[in-house]
Amino acid sequence: MQKILLLIFLLFKVLTATATSTAVVLPIPDNIQNGDTVLLSCGRIYSGELDLSNKYNVRVLTDGDCGAATITPARPVQGWLKTKQNSSIWWAAIDFIPAQMEINGEFIALAHYPNLPQEWAAGRSRQAGQLLFRMPFEDLSGATLVWRAADWLIETRQIVRYEDGVTHLLPSGDDTFPLLPETAFYVEGKRWMLDSPGEWAYADGKLYVWPPDGKSPEGRAWAAPRARGINASGSRDVHIQGVKIFAAMLGIDGSDALNLHITDTDIRNSGEDAILAGGSGLRIKRVSIINTVQNGLRASDDARDVLIADSTIEGAGMLGMPRRSKGALVFELASGQRILRNHIRNASYIGIRVYRDAIVADNVIERVCLRLSDCGGIYTFARDHKPLHVRIERNQIRGLSQRMGHAIYLDDYANGVIVKGNLMENNPGGMQLHNAFGNIIRENVFRRSQFEHILFNETGATAAIQKNKIMRNRFESGDTAPTYRLWSEYGGEYVQRFGKFDGNIYINRNPMFAEVAGSGMLSFSEWKRHVSAELRATYSITRSPP
C-alpha cells in the first residue's frame, strides 16, 4: 500500500512539474472596441501585444482570484537540441527575430565580448567611427558596439565591418559623444560570443542559449520579439488593473494618452522601459516595476499632471550588461508631477528626476547610481534659468554609489526649489548645487556623507550661485569629510554670494569643517569668520560615531 501511495505521489509530482513548465498560452485578445471591459482569466498567460491604441473607456482586469493574469509578447520556445560543438549550448528553430530571452523567469543576457567579471575592454580611437582593438574573431558585421561616452552616458552604434584590428561603425547623425581616445567598450550579438552560462544568441533562424544551470531549456524558455506588452498610446480613459507583464521591450506605452490609470500591476524584465508616460492625467498606484535594461518610467516632454504613488521600482537599468539609463523615474522636460511614497532601490543611474512644478515627497531611495556617475538620488535642473517650483520633502535617500553621487542634485541653474525635511545618509555626497541659485535647504538631516555634505560647484559661463538659504539643518560628519565644499572657477571672493547659512546644527568628528575656494580647509571658527558669519549655529566635535 505504501509503495502504491509513493508511486501516486511521484506521478503527481511529475504531472505537476509538466503542467507548470508547459502551461497553456492563450492568444492576446484583439478587436477591442471603445467601452469594452477586457477580462483576462486569472493565472493564465496571454502572448502578444495588447493593442489599446487610440481606444476610449477601456478597462483591462483579471477575472477570478487565482492570481493575476499575465501579458507578454514572449513566446515559449520548444524543440531544443544540443549543439555538436558544445554540449552546454542548446538550439531551437524559431520563426521570428528575438529581442530578449528568459529561462524560468530569469533574464538571459545577449552574448557579448568580453565576459564578466571584466565587462569592459579597453580600445583606442584615432578618428571618428573607428575603434582600434584586436578582436578574437573577425565576424563582427551587424554586431553592436557599446561604449562609455561619459561618466553618465553609455552609447551604442552598429558595426559595419572589422578588418586588420579596426572596428568600423555605422555613421551616426549625432556625433555629440564620439568614441574617446581611450574607450571602454564591449560588443554583443554574434554567435561566437556565446561562450559562457547565462547568454543567448540568434543566427540564421536559430536561437542558441547556454542555460545558467546547464539543464535543457525545454518547457521553461521564452523568447520575445521587439514589442510592447500593452500599447495604450493615444488612448483616453483606459484603466489597467491587477495584471502582470513580463519580457516586453516596453511594458506599457502610454504616449499621448489622456487619463491612463495603472494600478496593482506588476511589470518585470523590460528590455527598455517598463512604462512610457505621455499626454496628461497619468495615475500610477501600487505598481511594481522589477528589473529593466534602461529605465523604470520614462516620460516624453509633453507629459503633464502625473501622479506616481505607493509603488516600487527596483533594478532600473540593472538588467543584463550596462546600457544607457536615465533613471528609475525620469521626467526630463515634463511638468506637473506628484511622486509620493514610492520605494526605489538598486538603480543604474538617477532615482527620481523631475523638471518643473513637481512635488517629490515621502519616497525611500536606496542604492542608486550603481553604474553611472555624476548622479543624484533626486535630480532636477533648469538650463533656461527659470524657476522650477519644485518641492523635495521628507524623502529618505541612502546608500548611493560613485564619487559624484549625491542624494539630492540641483544641477544646471536649478532655482526655485525647496528641499525640506529629508534624511540623507551614507552617501558619497549629501547635495550638490551646480550653478544653482535661489533655493531653500532647510530642516534636513545629513548623516555620514563620505566626501562632503553639500558641494557648491560654480562652473558656468558666468558666476551664477547666489542667494541659496541653508537653514536649520542637522549635519553629522565622519572623520574625514568636511561639511561643505565651496568651489568657483571665478575665484574665492565669489563664494561669499553662494548662500545664507543660519541656525544649522553641526556634529563633527573632523576638525576641518569646510573646503573653500581660495582659502583651503577651514575650521569652524575660520568658516564663520571668512564665509558665513553664522551666528545661531550649534557646533560640536565628538569622538564617538554620530
Side-chain angles (χ1 to χ4, degrees):
M1 184 64 180
Q2 288 181 337
K3 290 183 178 180
I4 293 174
L5 291 174
L6 178 60
L7 287 172
I8 292 173
F9 173 75
L10 292 174
L11 180 61
F12 171 78
K13 293 290 285 183
V14 170
L15 290 174
T16 302
T18 303
T20 302
S21 61
T22 59
V24 176
V25 179
L26 302 176
I28 205 79
D30 59 5
N31 196 28
I32 296 168
Q33 302 299 311
N34 294 332
D36 282 355
T37 296
V38 182
L39 292 177
L40 304 175
S41 298
C42 65
R44 305 302 292 272
I45 299 175
Y46 293 81
S47 178
E49 182 178 288
L50 182 61
D51 186 7
L52 307 178
S53 59
N54 301 307
K55 295 295 187 293
Y56 291 72
N57 301 315
V58 173
R59 298 179 65 86
V60 180
L61 306 168
T62 292
D63 184 26
D65 57 4
C66 61
T70 298
I71 297 169
T72 178
R75 310 175 195 176
V77 181
Q78 299 173 343
W80 293 92
L81 300 171
K82 289 184 178 181
T83 61
K84 295 179 180 180
Q85 299 86 351
N86 186 335
S87 60
S88 296
I89 297 176
W90 298 73
W91 71 272
I94 58 175
D95 60 359
F96 62 95
I97 298 176
Q100 63 190 89
M101 184 182 180
E102 293 188 4
I103 293 180
N104 276 354
E106 178 181 349
F107 180 89
I108 306 298
L110 184 61
H112 50 269
Y113 172 84
N115 278 318
L116 295 174
Q118 183 180 348
E119 282 194 344
W120 304 98
R124 293 177 294 116
S125 179
R126 294 177 179 170
Q127 62 185 83
Q130 294 186 11
L131 180 71
L132 282 65
F133 184 87
R134 185 67 61 179
M135 297 288 186
F137 293 91
E138 295 187 355
D139 178 20
L140 281 169
S141 177
T144 299
L145 177 80
V146 186
W147 81 93
R148 293 291 298 254
D151 289 342
W152 52 273
L153 179 62
I154 296 174
E155 292 278 63
T156 62
R157 188 89 63 84
Q158 187 175 354
I159 297 173
V160 176
R161 68 184 186 279
Y162 171 83
E163 55 189 11
D164 297 328
V166 180
T167 300
H168 298 264
L169 305 179
L170 190 70
S172 170
D174 181 8
D175 286 327
T176 304
F177 295 95
L179 296 174
L180 301 173
E182 303 293 328
T183 296
F185 77 96
Y186 65 89
V187 290
E188 64 179 8
K190 283 296 185 177
R191 168 73 176 83
W192 65 262
M193 301 173 190
L194 179 51
D195 56 3
S196 298
E199 297 179 353
W200 69 271
Y202 170 80
D204 303 322
K206 295 180 180 179
L207 179 61
Y208 298 87
V209 66
W210 188 327
D213 58 7
K215 299 177 182 179
S216 170
E218 194 67 40
R220 60 199 187 109
W222 294 74
R226 184 179 181 83
R228 293 162 286 202
I230 298 177
N231 178 11
S233 62
S235 66
R236 302 293 182 268
D237 299 302
V238 164
H239 290 226
I240 300 166
Q241 180 177 351
V243 300
K244 294 182 179 180
I245 301 169
F246 78 88
M249 191 61 60
L250 183 59
I252 298 175
D253 183 352
S255 56
D256 194 33
L258 177 64
N259 299 331
L260 173 62
H261 289 207
I262 307 169
T263 58
D264 300 305
T265 290
D266 182 284
I267 307 173
R268 294 176 180 258
N269 293 0
S270 302
E272 288 179 358
D273 309 334
I275 298 174
L276 175 61
S280 65
L282 175 64
R283 298 291 182 265
I284 295 176
K285 298 180 181 179
R286 299 181 302 279
V287 167
S288 176
I289 294 173
I290 308 296
N291 295 336
T292 70
V293 172
Q294 291 188 283
N295 309 297
L297 178 146
R298 177 175 58 90
S300 55
D301 293 348
D302 70 340
R304 298 291 184 271
D305 183 22
V306 174
L307 170 66
I308 304 173
D310 304 306
S311 296
T312 299
I313 303 95
E314 180 168 2
M318 295 299 294
L319 203 55
M321 292 288 286
R323 302 296 283 235
R324 181 174 189 177
S325 176
K326 296 183 178 181
L329 297 176
V330 182
F331 296 87
E332 290 184 277
L333 294 175
S335 298
Q337 307 96 43
R338 289 175 293 154
I339 302 178
L340 312 175
R341 302 181 303 278
N342 303 288
H343 195 171
I344 295 170
R345 54 182 178 255
N346 299 334
S348 172
Y349 194 38
I350 292 168
I352 299 173
R353 177 172 182 164
V354 294
Y355 185 51
R356 191 157 268 130
D357 300 318
I359 298 173
V360 182
D362 302 300
N363 302 281
V364 176
I365 301 171
E366 301 176 291
R367 299 184 301 278
V368 302
C369 310
L370 294 180
R371 284 179 164 174
L372 296 164
S373 188
D374 196 12
C375 174
I378 300 173
Y379 174 98
T380 189
F381 78 122
R383 289 176 187 162
D384 61 5
H385 297 222
K386 295 179 180 179
L388 289 168
H389 305 297
V390 168
R391 300 181 68 92
I392 301 172
E393 299 181 340
R394 299 182 306 279
N395 302 281
Q396 299 178 41
I397 311 161
R398 58 176 67 95
L400 274 63
S401 295
Q402 312 293 335
R403 167 61 185 95
M404 292 302 290
H406 290 84
I408 297 175
Y409 192 165
L410 307 185
D411 195 12
D412 288 351
Y413 309 101
N415 67 97
V417 180
I418 296 175
V419 180
K420 180 181 178 182
N422 301 279
L423 170 62
M424 295 165 266
E425 60 182 351
N426 298 324
N427 300 299
M431 286 188 65
Q432 180 177 177
L433 286 79
H434 179 220
N435 300 326
F437 61 93
N439 303 291
I440 297 174
I441 302 164
R442 58 184 296 177
E443 299 167 24
N444 304 282
V445 175
F446 297 80
R447 182 176 293 150
R448 293 187 295 275
S449 299
Q450 297 168 26
F451 297 98
E452 68 277 316
H453 288 314
I454 300 182
L455 168 64
F456 295 84
N457 188 14
E458 187 168 69
T459 63
T462 60
I465 301 180
Q466 60 179 317
K467 298 182 180 179
N468 297 290
K469 295 181 180 180
I470 301 91
M471 304 181 298
R472 297 194 294 277
N473 301 282
R474 180 182 178 91
F475 297 91
E476 300 177 6
S477 301
D479 288 319
T480 58
T483 301
Y484 301 114
R485 294 186 196 271
L486 284 69
W487 163 253
S488 174
E489 62 182 23
Y490 296 97
E493 65 272 18
Y494 281 84
V495 304
Q496 304 291 339
R497 312 175 346 145
F498 281 4
K500 178 182 179 181
F501 302 81
D502 186 38
N504 298 293
I505 298 172
Y506 302 104
I507 302 175
N508 276 27
R509 295 175 67 188
N510 177 15
M512 292 294 97
F513 179 80
E515 183 178 21
V516 179
S519 301
M521 284 289 188
L522 303 180
S523 67
F524 182 65
S525 59
E526 291 170 330
W527 159 263
K528 291 179 64 177
R529 192 162 56 248
H530 290 292
V531 178
S532 170
E534 188 173 358
L535 300 178
R536 293 186 292 179
T538 301
Y539 176 78
S540 62
I541 293 181
T542 176
R543 293 303 171 192
S544 59

